[in-house]
């Protein structure tokens, strides 16, 4: 119990740290209004904007009210559209979620069986091919992959559209590029998790009992390997904001990634702050969940 | 600390390594030489435009113009020269940025592991925060706040990735803190600074060097993706990422403008990855995977 409390407290302290650092970062360079206000803004309008976004208060007051807002579920307003940032985010979320969800699913369905295969048949030719695929997915940045894909499938073969997400065909390339970079990790992790398990004594015992290889692999080995695989998947989800940002940029998809990049270009801090906070919280909570599940299953961790 | 670099064991292992590694390391050496001697090698000024020789394809294609081996871009700038200078720029940022994150991370890791207690807790808290703060998002935020210049870009890529060094170095320091040679130095009255610099760092140099190599590869990708998004160094300065990003508009009719820098990014990130992989295996370093 003590472990759970300390671990949870630490997680919330981390989220607080992320929020505070973003706040400091966005205030350190001076008044955000100066960055985007058009030339020839009258004093009156300027003051109105300052007041509207609460920027005329001292930093401390701003910080406190920002925190109050977060607790109440008010995350501030976009400097441009004056909409609440949550509204802006949720309007873009479906595209990103669809893209990400499909890519995750595709990489899961392809990656894990390939990883398991590579662990079982360590010296087959197909395994060499699978590991080469994993290395390629890991080494080629997905925006470069996307460019090559567009060049091949759109401009040379004229098979697929290049921008947007209107029809199912539009999904093929962005989902494929995103899946490719996720695939690498899945193949490597499921392979190494399976390899670890296959060396255990109980696998030898199961084999010596005369069980069929299929039962040994799927009932004994895979069940035991699935725990580390699942935990890695949880952490992997958290790490993919960069990939999403780039894929959305290449295929001009109107999602969270493009929203954040535009916010960065136009200094729309409330959007950026919310994005960073959201993503940071997802990472922290995913890690927390993994840690707690492990502690639940493995008493040794609780003691240390 | 550098004894590890002219280690004869490493040379022996290199001679035994397979063709991919050998080829990769030679390519790396070649690319670094090209970057160093860019002013001598580049046939033209990378920013000089020529309206009469716009959008020429590389050698072997129709409308190739003699003198522009890899063709020209939309303003008639020589692609080869821009690639050479872009490579120089990218490598410079990656090497310096990696150096910054290595210094910060190693310092924090050593202090955290050696001193322990509340300082350790605070530093590990910072590591947790940094992990929760994906490099790309942090870079976008900082560039948005401070604007994009070379200094900011180096700083931004430099502070991403320090947490890897901090974690690994801290773990190593804790591991060797109770080794006899460290205790002996302490008993002999050596100051912590001397113990850390002379006794501990040389013994944990291998993982740091391996992380540094991987760090370079990561920073190349981070920098080029930022430039690709238009948030890196502003035009007309040639960087591989911005060349790829701006060249995207010409992908359908003049793909070489976009594809050539993309290939160079790919190659350079790949050879550092290969080097890191090889060093990790040869120096027998075990790193926690992220």
């Amino acid at each position: 119990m003590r472990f759970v409390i300390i671990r949870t407290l630490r997680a919330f302290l981390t989220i607080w740290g992320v929020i505070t650092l973003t706040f400091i970062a966005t205030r350190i360079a001076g008044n955000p209004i100066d960055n985007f206000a058009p030339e020839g803004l009258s004093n009156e309008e300027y003051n109105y904007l300052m007041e509207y976004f609460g920027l005329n208060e001292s930093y401390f007051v701003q910080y406190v009210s920002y925190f109050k807002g977060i607790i109440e579920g008010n995350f501030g307003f976009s400097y441009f559209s004056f909409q609440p940032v949550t509204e802006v985010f949720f309007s873009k979320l479906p595209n990103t979620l669809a893209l990400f969800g499909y890519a995750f699913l595709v990489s899961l369905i392809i990656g894990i069986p390939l990883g398991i295969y590579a662990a079982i048949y360590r010296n087959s030719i197909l395994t060499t091919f699978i590991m080469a695929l994993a290395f390629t997915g890991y080494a080629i940045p997905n925006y470069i992959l996307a460019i090559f894909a567009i060049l091949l499938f759109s401009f040379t073969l004229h098979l697929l559209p290049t921008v947007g997400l209107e029809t199912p065909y539009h999904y093929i390339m962005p989902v494929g590029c995103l899946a490719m970079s996720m695939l690498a990790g899945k193949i490597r992790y499921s392979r190494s998790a399976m390899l670890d398990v296959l060396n255990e004594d109980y696998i030898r015992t199961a084999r010596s009992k005369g069980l069929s290889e299929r039962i040994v692999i799927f009932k004994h080995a895979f069940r035991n390997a699935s725990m580390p695989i699942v935990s890695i998947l949880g952490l992997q989800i958290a790490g993919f904001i960069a990939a999403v940002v780039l894929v959305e940029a290449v295929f001009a998809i109107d999602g969270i990634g493009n929203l954040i990049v535009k916010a960065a270009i136009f200094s729309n801090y409330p959007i950026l702050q919310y994005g960073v906070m959201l993503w940071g919280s997802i990472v922290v909570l995913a890690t927390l969940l993994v840690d707690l599940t492990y502690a639940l299953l493995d008493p040794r961790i609780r003691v240390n | 600390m550098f004894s590890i670099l002219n280690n004869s064991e490493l040379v022996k292992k290199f001679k035994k390594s397979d063709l991919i590694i050998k080829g990769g390391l030679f390519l790396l050496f070649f690319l670094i030489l090209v970057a160093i001697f860019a002013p001598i090698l580049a046939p033209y000024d990378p920013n000089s435009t020529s309206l009469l020789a716009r959008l020429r394809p590389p050698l072997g294609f129709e409308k190739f113009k003699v003198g522009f081996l890899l063709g020209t871009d939309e303003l008639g700038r020589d692609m080869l020269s821009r690639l050479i200078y872009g490579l120089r720029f990218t490598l410079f940022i990656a090497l310096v940025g990696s150096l910054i994150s290595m210094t910060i991370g190693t310092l924090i890791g050593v202090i955290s592991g050696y001193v322990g207690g509340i300082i350790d807790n605070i530093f590990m808290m910072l590591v947790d925060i940094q992990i929760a703060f994906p490099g790309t998002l942090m870079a976008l935020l900082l560039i948005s706040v401070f604007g994009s210049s070379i200094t900011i870009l180096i700083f931004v890529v430099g502070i991403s990735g320090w947490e890897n060094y901090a974690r690994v170095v801290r773990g190593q320091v804790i591991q060797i803190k109770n080794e006899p040679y460290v205790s002996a130095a302490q008993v002999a009255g050596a100051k912590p600074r001397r113990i850390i610099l002379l006794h501990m760092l040389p013994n944990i140099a291998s993982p740091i060097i391996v992380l540094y190599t991987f760090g370079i590869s990561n920073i190349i990708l981070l920098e080029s993706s930022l430039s690709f998004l238009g948030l890196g160094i502003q035009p007309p300065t040639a960087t591989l990422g911005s060349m790829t990003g701006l060249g995207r508009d010409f992908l359908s009719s003049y793909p070489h403008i976009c594809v050539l820098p993309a290939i160079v990014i790919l190659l350079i990130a790949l050879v550092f990855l290969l080097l890191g992989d090889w060093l990790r295996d040869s120096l027998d370093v075990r790193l926690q995977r992220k």
Side-chain angles (χ1 to χ4, degrees):
Chain A
M1 205 51 212
R2 195 168 160 263
F3 171 81
V4 176
I5 292 171
I6 290 180
R7 197 59 198 74
T8 315
L9 267 180
R10 231 180 110 159
F12 279 98
L13 216 59
T14 309
I15 294 177
W16 167 79
V18 170
I19 295 172
T20 307
L21 280 184
T22 6
F23 181 85
I24 295 172
T26 50
R27 295 299 183 277
I28 213 167
N31 188 349
I33 303 284
D34 295 338
N35 277 347
F36 70 80
E39 297 276 328
L41 196 70
S42 77
N43 262 343
E44 211 173 302
E45 287 163 326
Y46 185 85
N47 290 337
Y48 174 75
L49 281 178
M50 290 289 279
E51 202 167 325
Y52 189 87
F53 292 111
L55 294 165
N56 45 2
E57 309 277 0
S58 73
Y59 287 142
F60 182 72
V61 174
Q62 282 187 42
Y63 180 67
V64 171
S65 65
Y66 180 57
F67 246 90
K68 255 196 209 149
I70 289 176
I71 291 162
E72 290 163 359
N74 165 19
F75 297 93
F77 297 88
S78 162
Y79 284 162
F80 293 95
S81 64
F82 295 83
Q83 277 174 297
V85 288
T86 40
E87 216 170 86
V88 181
F89 257 79
F90 285 111
S91 69
K92 312 277 184 194
L93 198 59
N95 276 345
T96 303
L97 270 187
L99 201 63
F100 186 80
Y102 289 136
F104 193 74
L105 220 60
V106 168
S107 65
L108 202 66
I109 294 170
I110 300 176
I112 292 188
L114 287 186
I116 293 173
Y117 180 91
I120 300 171
Y121 304 102
R122 293 182 62 176
N123 298 318
S124 92
I125 296 173
L126 190 57
T127 299
T128 321
F129 177 72
I130 291 171
M131 294 324 285
L133 183 75
F135 186 73
T136 324
Y138 174 57
I140 300 186
N142 57 19
Y143 68 99
I144 290 182
L145 193 66
I147 286 171
F148 288 142
I150 289 179
L151 200 58
L152 177 65
F153 293 113
S154 302
F155 294 145
T156 311
L157 300 173
H158 303 286
L159 286 176
L160 295 170
T162 55
V163 293
L165 283 181
E166 283 86 46
T167 66
Y169 291 112
H170 285 86
Y171 280 91
I172 296 177
M173 275 199 292
V175 167
C177 292
L178 209 51
M180 190 66 185
S181 50
M182 297 181 181
L183 197 62
K186 294 204 172 68
I187 293 178
R188 288 157 81 116
Y189 290 125
S190 51
R191 173 173 170 270
S192 69
M194 271 307 262
L195 279 179
D196 284 348
V197 172
L198 285 174
N199 283 327
E200 295 282 346
D201 289 340
Y202 55 79
I203 297 297
R204 193 159 11 105
T205 314
R207 279 192 179 131
S208 62
K209 277 199 302 191
L211 294 179
S212 77
E213 193 60 23
R214 230 179 78 173
I215 291 183
V216 172
I217 297 293
F218 287 101
K219 283 222 150 151
H220 292 74
F222 182 61
R223 282 200 183 169
N224 282 293
S226 55
M227 182 66 202
I229 296 178
V230 169
S231 74
I232 284 297
L233 294 188
L235 298 181
Q236 251 202 326
I237 292 181
F240 272 101
I241 182 76
V244 170
V245 166
L246 286 164
V247 167
E248 284 188 3
V250 176
F251 293 102
I253 290 162
D254 192 20
I256 303 281
N258 258 334
L259 178 69
I260 289 177
V261 172
K262 274 194 198 116
I265 292 174
F266 297 114
S267 302
N268 197 350
Y269 297 144
I271 300 267
L272 270 178
Q273 278 173 293
Y274 186 63
V276 169
M277 186 183 71
L278 201 65
W279 209 270
S281 309
I282 292 174
V283 176
V284 171
L285 293 179
T287 322
L288 178 69
L289 212 64
V290 169
D291 279 6
L292 293 185
T293 325
Y294 259 86
L296 202 70
L297 298 176
D298 190 347
R300 278 171 300 180
I301 298 174
R302 262 176 283 170
V303 178
N304 293 326
Chain B
M1 183 163 175
F2 292 100
S3 61
I4 201 161
L5 291 177
N6 45 39
N7 179 326
S8 63
E9 195 77 354
L10 219 52
V11 175
K12 248 186 253 163
K13 281 198 172 135
F14 175 71
K15 281 181 183 153
K16 271 194 282 180
S17 62
D18 49 16
L19 213 61
I20 297 179
I21 302 288
K22 278 183 184 154
L25 293 191
F26 276 120
L27 182 61
L28 175 64
F29 190 62
F30 172 73
L31 288 175
I32 289 176
L33 280 184
V34 168
I36 292 172
F37 296 107
I40 302 170
L41 291 171
Y44 299 90
D45 179 326
N47 293 329
S48 80
T49 59
S50 152
L51 288 178
L52 291 175
R54 288 171 62 226
L55 297 166
R56 296 295 180 139
L59 179 67
F61 290 86
E62 237 181 292
K63 287 191 175 172
F64 167 73
K65 186 169 168 130
V66 180
F68 299 101
L69 194 60
L70 293 178
T72 57
D73 68 3
E74 74 277 15
L75 295 174
R77 295 173 294 196
D78 179 42
M79 283 300 288
L80 179 62
S81 309
R82 284 182 77 72
L83 285 177
I84 290 174
Y85 273 94
L87 175 72
R88 180 183 165 99
F89 205 85
T90 302
L91 267 180
F92 172 73
I93 289 182
L95 291 173
V96 177
S98 255
L99 211 61
I100 294 173
S101 58
M102 178 176 80
T103 314
I104 299 175
T106 308
L107 204 66
I108 286 185
V110 164
I111 295 173
S112 207
Y114 194 81
V115 180
I118 190 146
I119 291 185
D120 182 26
N121 275 325
I122 292 173
F123 280 154
M124 285 307 109
M125 188 77 216
L126 279 179
V127 167
D128 277 358
I129 293 175
Q130 182 66 59
I131 291 172
F133 215 140
T136 313
L137 273 192
M138 190 175 67
L140 288 180
L141 183 73
L142 290 178
I143 288 173
S144 159
V145 171
F146 295 106
S148 54
S149 66
I150 300 181
T151 334
I152 293 294
L153 196 64
I154 289 180
F155 172 74
V156 164
V157 298
I159 59 171
S160 73
W162 66 269
E163 75 274 12
N164 293 328
Y165 296 95
R167 272 199 307 189
V168 170
V169 168
R170 171 178 173 270
Q172 296 272 333
V173 166
I174 288 176
Q175 225 174 56
I176 63 170
K177 203 158 68 169
N178 296 320
E179 293 275 330
Y181 61 83
V182 175
S183 316
Q186 278 165 342
V187 171
K191 293 209 173 75
R193 205 180 76 171
R194 188 182 166 81
I195 295 177
I196 290 170
L197 283 180
L198 287 179
H199 298 282
M200 286 181 143
L201 276 186
N203 282 296
I204 58 172
S206 315
I208 297 179
I209 289 173
V210 173
L211 280 177
Y212 182 71
T213 322
F214 283 126
I216 292 174
S217 175
N218 285 337
I219 286 183
I220 289 172
L221 295 183
L222 179 61
E223 184 272 326
S224 58
S225 58
L226 288 173
S227 303
F228 177 78
L229 292 171
L231 284 156
I233 304 300
Q234 297 307 309
T237 310
T239 74
L240 298 173
S242 67
M243 286 168 75
T244 313
L246 295 171
R248 203 156 41 112
D249 297 341
F250 301 91
L251 194 56
S252 59
S253 21
Y254 305 99
H256 69 281
I257 301 176
C258 178
V259 168
L260 289 175
I263 291 174
V264 179
I265 295 174
L266 200 62
L267 279 182
I268 188 82
L270 203 66
V271 288
F272 275 108
L273 216 57
L274 270 178
L275 177 67
D277 251 354
W278 178 73
L279 276 177
R280 184 184 58 203
D281 295 344
S282 318
L283 298 173
D284 201 19
V285 176
R286 289 184 65 100
L287 296 176
Q288 264 179 302
R289 282 242 153 250
K290 272 194 279 187

